[in-house]
Amino acid sequence: MPLTKTEVERWLNSVAPGVGLTVLSKKAGFSRIRIIQQLTGDRVQEETIIKVSRVLDIDPLEQLRSFKGYEHLEPSRPDRREVDAFIRWEHLLRACAAIEFAEPVTESSLGPIHFGETSRQWIDSIDPDGGLRKYLQSTGPISNPGLSKMLNGALRFDLALLAAQYANVPRVSALVASHLLTPEEAGWVVDERVQWLQGLGKVERLQLVETRIHAALVREQRSQDFINHLG
């Protein structure tokens, strides 16, 4: 849902009057040419609004929601189906063991929110009926190889939003899944992942660990097979 030049210029004049594009773009970490090209083509990306908002020390989600068509992106804690997608299996295994030994678990011990498998795990975790990937391919539209490649990194926001709508999870989760907002900016509590993990029963934790280790094993075997094939 790219934003138009008129919308963005009006917004910039209200939040940063008198501040030039050169200054804003440099502080936000992208080139002045990039934002000019976006404005010229009436295709300003959500990421641009978010980065400029951070530079100006104003709430990026609140600013994005000020644009028509984005009002539905209300701050929200995640659906419980989503949270495990943001924990790598190694950190999950260590945290579950810590809980069994009555040792403390902290957000930092659960590792980074985003990593190589985040998008893939998020799609798999929220899929209510096994049809989400086919839905994204037909509605996106995006090819199966294209979607598979994208799931190895940051999911495109429009696809993440379609996924959130299909799975009936908070729309703002699409901004987290696509690496545009931090969980805190989206409305998560500070220790969201810790609370979620501690709220699981022992059987749920064991089943989750089993599932994630199996997935990691499959990935490792495929990687090893590929290396052996090259050799």
Side-chain angles (χ1 to χ4, degrees):
M1 299 182 291
L3 301 163
T4 68
K5 177 181 180 180
T6 301
E7 291 177 295
V8 175
E9 287 186 336
R10 186 186 302 118
W11 174 72
L12 287 172
N13 288 333
S14 68
V15 298
V19 181
L21 289 179
T22 300
V23 174
L24 286 175
S25 58
K26 184 176 181 180
K27 289 184 176 180
F30 50 79
S31 69
R32 179 173 179 270
I33 297 299
R34 174 183 166 186
I35 193 171
I36 289 177
Q37 288 175 335
Q38 289 185 13
L39 288 170
T40 302
D42 276 346
R43 295 188 61 82
V44 179
Q45 302 299 311
E46 296 86 359
E47 182 181 18
T48 300
I49 303 301
I50 290 169
K51 286 188 174 181
V52 170
S53 296
R54 287 174 180 152
V55 165
L56 297 172
D57 199 25
I58 52 181
D59 188 326
L61 178 57
E62 181 180 336
Q63 296 306 311
L64 187 58
R65 293 185 67 232
S66 69
F67 291 91
K68 185 177 180 180
Y70 291 83
E71 304 92 341
H72 62 289
L73 295 172
E74 300 178 1
S76 174
R77 294 182 67 177
D79 186 287
R80 72 187 306 271
R81 291 174 290 162
E82 303 179 72
V83 185
D84 78 284
F86 299 94
I87 309 174
R88 286 182 59 175
W89 75 267
E90 299 96 329
H91 295 100
L92 178 67
L93 180 61
R94 182 173 61 186
C96 288
I99 291 175
E100 293 304 313
F101 287 107
E103 297 173 353
V105 177
T106 64
E107 275 294 319
S108 60
S109 71
L110 291 175
I113 288 286
H114 293 123
F115 46 90
E117 291 297 314
T118 301
S119 296
R120 188 180 307 278
Q121 289 178 175
W122 184 69
I123 290 294
D124 291 342
S125 295
I126 66 174
D127 190 346
D129 56 11
L132 179 51
R133 294 196 189 197
K134 288 186 177 179
Y135 174 76
L136 293 178
Q137 291 169 31
S138 62
T139 309
I142 185 170
S143 67
N144 182 40
L147 179 59
S148 294
K149 183 178 181 180
M150 189 173 295
L151 291 179
N152 290 323
L155 188 60
R156 209 171 67 205
F157 174 60
D158 61 314
L159 294 176
L161 188 57
L162 286 172
Q165 293 169 334
Y166 183 91
N168 195 29
V169 299
R171 305 296 187 267
V172 72
S173 293
L175 289 164
V176 180
S178 54
H179 299 202
L180 294 178
L181 286 185
T182 67
E184 290 78 12
E185 290 170 338
W188 295 24
V189 298
V190 175
D191 59 346
E192 190 74 62
R193 296 184 299 173
V194 174
Q195 287 190 31
W196 169 81
L197 189 58
Q198 292 176 335
L200 297 178
K202 185 171 182 177
V203 172
E204 287 182 294
R205 288 196 300 271
L206 288 172
Q207 289 174 334
L208 179 60
V209 168
E210 180 183 33
T211 299
R212 295 288 295 280
I213 289 180
H214 175 72
L217 178 60
V218 170
R219 290 195 302 272
E220 186 63 27
Q221 287 176 330
R222 287 175 178 171
S223 177
Q224 190 61 52
D225 289 344
F226 178 73
I227 292 174
N228 292 338
H229 177 73
L230 292 179

